[in-house]
Amino acid sequence: MSPMLIIAKREFRSYFDSPIAYIVICLSFFALGLMFFFLNGGFWQLDRASVARLFESAPMGLSFLVVPVVTMRLLAEERRSGTLEMLITLPVKDSDVVLGKYLGALGLVLILVVSTLAYPIIMFKWPWNLGPLDAGPVASGYLGMILFSAAAVAVGLLISALTESQAVAFFITFFVLGALWLFGDLASKAGGTLAIFLNYVSFQSRLNNFWRGLVDSRDVVFFLSVTALSLMVAFRALERRKWA
Amino acid sequence: MIQVEDLTKDYGTVVAVRGVSFSVGKGEIVGFLGPNGAGKSTTLRVLAGFLGATSGHVRIAGHDIAKAPLAARRALGYMPESAPLYPEMRVSEYLMFRARLKEVPRTERLRAIGGAMDRAGVSHMAGTVIAHLSKGYRQRVALADALVSNPPLLILDEPTAGLDPNQIRDVRALVKDLGSDRTVLLSTHILSEVEATCERAIVIDRGRLVAEGTIEELRARQRSTGLELRVRDPHAAAEAALTAVFGVSVRSGVTEETAPDRRRLRLGLDAALDADTVTEAVVQALTAAGIGIHALVPEQASLEQVFSALTRHEPSAAPEQSAETA
């Protein structure tokens, strides 16, 4: 196994060795259920065979809570406790450490994302069949959610690489991801160039197309670019110790 | 095994290590000695590849750590100061994780982990969650981790810090044992540790190397400043004879209770004079007075005194701070 995967595996397992994974998964499902069925009238009022509500509420929960909680400790905690020193002094490249931690955290988030498949399956396949569900938008919605998760976790990792405090990492990640989400709502109220800019950087606006069943290569490239850029900056932040 | 040339490391405006050069040969156990904040941990962190040097070169087992960091790290087992471990993992699990990353071949992993746990004395704790271990055991797990890939070089940063006296003795014995077939560089601010385990010591203070040598060489740096005498002196004339000798002061004279003609004398020697010359004059004066000398022992400077002499500095003479990050 490559060093990157060994680190990713340990990171992933450590979520389940502590209560964090169980708490995050349970509470996320509880919150998602509430949002899906009750928020703004909920699923029933929509009166359509669609799980678009799922795609609207799940990334919001990920942005505001799950991703900040999952990523806050990634590097901040290792740096504070000194285990980062143990990791870096192994015959392992810094990039393996960053990517390993990234994949470990992304793994947990993706488990959450994939588990939400329960909604379309249970409601529209078996045991209930509430109507003819269009598979296209569901597939593209999931693709969008996976790309979104990849980018959000990378942003969280980057912020965790910049501080020693988990609380600071949580709050800044919450703020940044929250802002990137709400820019979409803000754009509809603003006008002109500002609206274009806000729509351009907003995760929410970018995801909108996916919910409608539209996979635009510009959106795909946007999420992938955010991911790559964040990971690169996190890598540099980790390397900074060598010069500073 | 280790060659350090003109190593300097600064943290922004604070210079932690400046122009330090030393080398450690194969099979040596070397103590890296200095008061708190002297730059010991910083130097070791540079050697281990955690920090980059501001200037200077470091070679580990022949590999330049800037050019071939992975090859250099493969050759060494490093134990940082506070022995940081993942609290949620079990001991054997943790060592397995480390052994994988240290590229211990799959077929040898279990044996390597077992052997390392045996040597560090944590075999009976293999299944325990690290969070439940005492400080002493955590330290040993970190030591087992340093050993797991059987590296030819061990760098241990304060391996006995925070341990109780029994544990300290165990760790020292282990280090000595390990030193029989590999190179060990250990840092400490405790002198007796160096005396007990090391063949050679490197002393740094405020980021500079102030002394280097075997324990005997370091001791010899401090000149003997006293003499202890046992004489046959039936008329108690020794003190009078000695006051005539230039550069000698009698600190104490005690008559032995069992033998009234035997006396023990302690003499102070003037530090400005050559101790050998004064000793000779003492012997001549006593012989001339008809006093028999049974024993004459120069007071050996303890390493303690050498250390404080080397690292003593006036408070005003410290305009530049030295730093050791915790």
Side-chain angles (χ1 to χ4, degrees):
Chain A
M1 223 192 306
S2 80
M4 183 180 81
L5 289 180
I6 298 170
I7 293 172
K9 195 177 144 200
R10 195 212 73 82
E11 195 62 45
F12 183 73
R13 275 211 50 185
S14 77
Y15 287 114
F16 291 90
D17 284 341
S18 70
I20 183 168
Y22 306 102
I23 292 175
V24 163
I25 290 175
C26 290
L27 293 185
S28 297
F29 269 91
F30 184 65
L32 183 65
L34 286 181
M35 292 208 281
F36 187 83
F37 289 109
F38 297 108
L39 194 71
N40 295 338
F43 169 77
W44 305 112
Q45 209 148 58
L46 210 60
D47 208 24
R48 256 187 291 134
S50 155
V51 285
R53 292 200 56 91
L54 172 75
F55 297 130
E56 283 168 39
S57 35
M60 198 159 52
L62 290 176
S63 285
F64 284 105
L65 263 178
V66 176
V67 171
V69 165
V70 167
T71 60
M72 64 180 184
R73 53 177 219 145
L74 281 177
L75 286 162
E77 172 62 13
E78 292 243 1
R79 194 182 294 247
R80 198 195 52 73
S81 71
T83 45
L84 190 64
E85 192 172 348
M86 298 289 270
L87 210 50
I88 297 272
T89 51
L90 290 168
V92 168
K93 293 200 280 291
D94 284 8
S95 54
D96 285 337
V97 173
V98 170
L99 286 175
K101 300 224 139 237
Y102 172 69
L103 291 180
L106 184 59
L108 180 65
V109 173
L110 286 186
I111 283 205
L112 210 58
V113 168
V114 170
S115 331
T116 61
L117 272 172
Y119 278 72
I121 290 173
I122 290 175
M123 294 193 326
F124 296 102
K125 280 279 173 206
W126 185 88
W128 296 288
N129 195 336
L130 300 175
L133 182 67
D134 187 356
V138 175
S140 70
Y142 272 101
L143 176 66
M145 193 130 77
I146 288 168
L147 287 167
F148 159 82
S149 306
V153 171
V155 169
L157 174 71
L158 161 63
I159 291 163
S160 182
L162 298 176
T163 173
E164 269 192 29
S165 155
Q166 292 195 64
V168 169
F170 171 82
F171 197 72
I172 296 180
T173 309
F174 167 80
F175 189 82
V176 168
L177 291 180
L180 287 174
W181 185 258
L182 294 176
F183 279 173
D185 295 327
L186 228 65
S188 54
K189 294 185 178 67
T193 3
L194 185 62
I196 294 171
F197 170 77
L198 290 177
N199 269 324
Y200 188 83
V201 298
S202 167
F203 284 7
Q204 187 184 10
S205 308
R206 291 280 173 183
L207 279 175
N208 244 309
N209 289 336
F210 288 99
W211 301 336
R212 289 189 282 124
L214 185 68
V215 180
D216 187 331
S217 59
R218 283 174 300 181
D219 299 328
V220 174
V221 170
F222 170 79
F223 282 122
L224 292 179
S225 309
V226 170
T227 308
L229 185 71
S230 301
L231 289 177
M232 248 146 59
V233 178
F235 171 68
R236 289 290 164 204
L238 193 61
E239 269 206 329
R240 193 177 52 141
R241 75 187 192 280
K242 288 193 180 161
W243 308 301
Chain B
M1 284 310 280
I2 305 176
Q3 279 109 34
V4 179
E5 278 168 44
D6 206 21
L7 173 69
T8 296
K9 171 72 190 174
D10 60 46
Y11 295 106
T13 54
V14 181
V15 183
V17 178
R18 59 190 88 187
V20 168
S21 302
F22 63 88
S23 66
V24 176
K26 208 169 161 59
E28 281 190 293
I29 307 183
V30 176
F32 198 59
L33 198 57
N36 289 328
K40 297 188 298 284
S41 288
T42 301
T43 307
L44 295 190
R45 282 174 163 183
V46 172
L47 296 188
F50 182 61
L51 296 174
T54 309
S55 67
H57 296 281
V58 178
R59 295 172 77 81
I60 302 280
H63 306 285
D64 190 306
I65 57 162
K67 295 193 187 97
L70 296 191
R73 287 180 210 166
R74 251 174 227 128
L76 76 92
Y78 172 59
M79 179 177 141
E81 198 174 350
S82 55
L85 308 165
Y86 293 113
E88 76 276 3
M89 295 179 96
R90 291 174 196 284
V91 171
S92 55
E93 227 173 41
Y94 175 72
L95 292 174
M96 180 57 97
F97 166 68
R98 303 282 298 178
R100 282 202 181 118
L101 287 177
K102 288 181 178 186
E103 301 168 357
V104 178
R106 175 191 295 271
T107 48
E108 286 164 35
R109 264 180 226 146
L110 280 177
R111 197 148 38 89
I113 292 167
M117 286 197 295
D118 274 343
R119 283 196 102 163
V122 288
S123 298
H124 58 296
M125 294 289 185
T128 312
V129 175
I130 288 170
H132 299 159
L133 291 180
S134 69
K135 166 90 180 146
Y137 272 110
R138 281 182 211 196
Q139 204 92 349
R140 291 200 215 178
V141 172
L143 205 54
D145 162 48
L147 293 173
V148 81
S149 62
N150 199 20
L153 171 65
L154 288 176
I155 294 182
L156 311 175
D157 196 354
E158 309 230 350
T160 58
L163 300 187
D164 71 34
N166 287 331
Q167 295 168 327
I168 289 178
R169 206 182 48 221
D170 290 352
V171 169
R172 283 183 189 166
L174 176 63
V175 167
K176 248 194 137 126
D177 178 41
L178 291 171
S180 60
D181 56 354
R182 70 194 80 213
T183 311
V184 182
L185 177 65
L186 68 91
S187 85
T188 177
H189 60 272
I190 306 159
L191 281 140
S192 50
E193 192 144 302
V194 172
E195 280 185 298
T197 51
C198 304
E199 295 140 10
R200 208 153 66 80
I202 295 164
V203 186
I204 74 163
D205 181 40
R206 287 188 293 159
R208 288 181 201 282
L209 196 126
V210 291
E212 190 188 348
T214 62
I215 306 299
E216 286 72 30
E217 277 166 3
L218 286 181
R219 253 194 217 124
R221 291 176 69 105
Q222 185 82 336
R223 289 145 25 106
S224 129
T225 55
L227 283 178
E228 208 178 319
L229 282 169
R230 259 176 45 225
V231 294
R232 185 180 51 78
D233 182 16
H235 308 297
E239 269 115 324
L242 286 168
T243 48
V245 180
F246 182 65
V248 171
S249 54
V250 180
R251 287 198 197 129
S252 66
V254 182
T255 305
E256 283 184 20
E257 280 173 22
T258 48
D261 63 333
R262 305 286 162 89
R263 303 205 69 202
R264 278 172 183 279
L265 299 169
R266 293 193 54 208
L267 309 182
L269 304 185
D270 188 333
L273 300 171
D274 179 41
D276 293 347
T277 317
V278 179
T279 308
E280 208 177 308
V282 166
V283 173
Q284 274 168 3
L286 290 175
T287 318
I291 296 164
I293 303 173
H294 292 169
L296 187 154
V297 184
E299 265 176 20
Q300 185 65 266
S302 72
L303 209 48
E304 230 71 30
Q305 287 164 303
V306 179
F307 182 68
S308 64
L310 283 170
T311 59
R312 187 170 41 215
H313 24 76
E314 316 310 322
S316 58
E320 294 147 307
Q321 259 182 298
S322 52
E324 188 167 21
T325 50

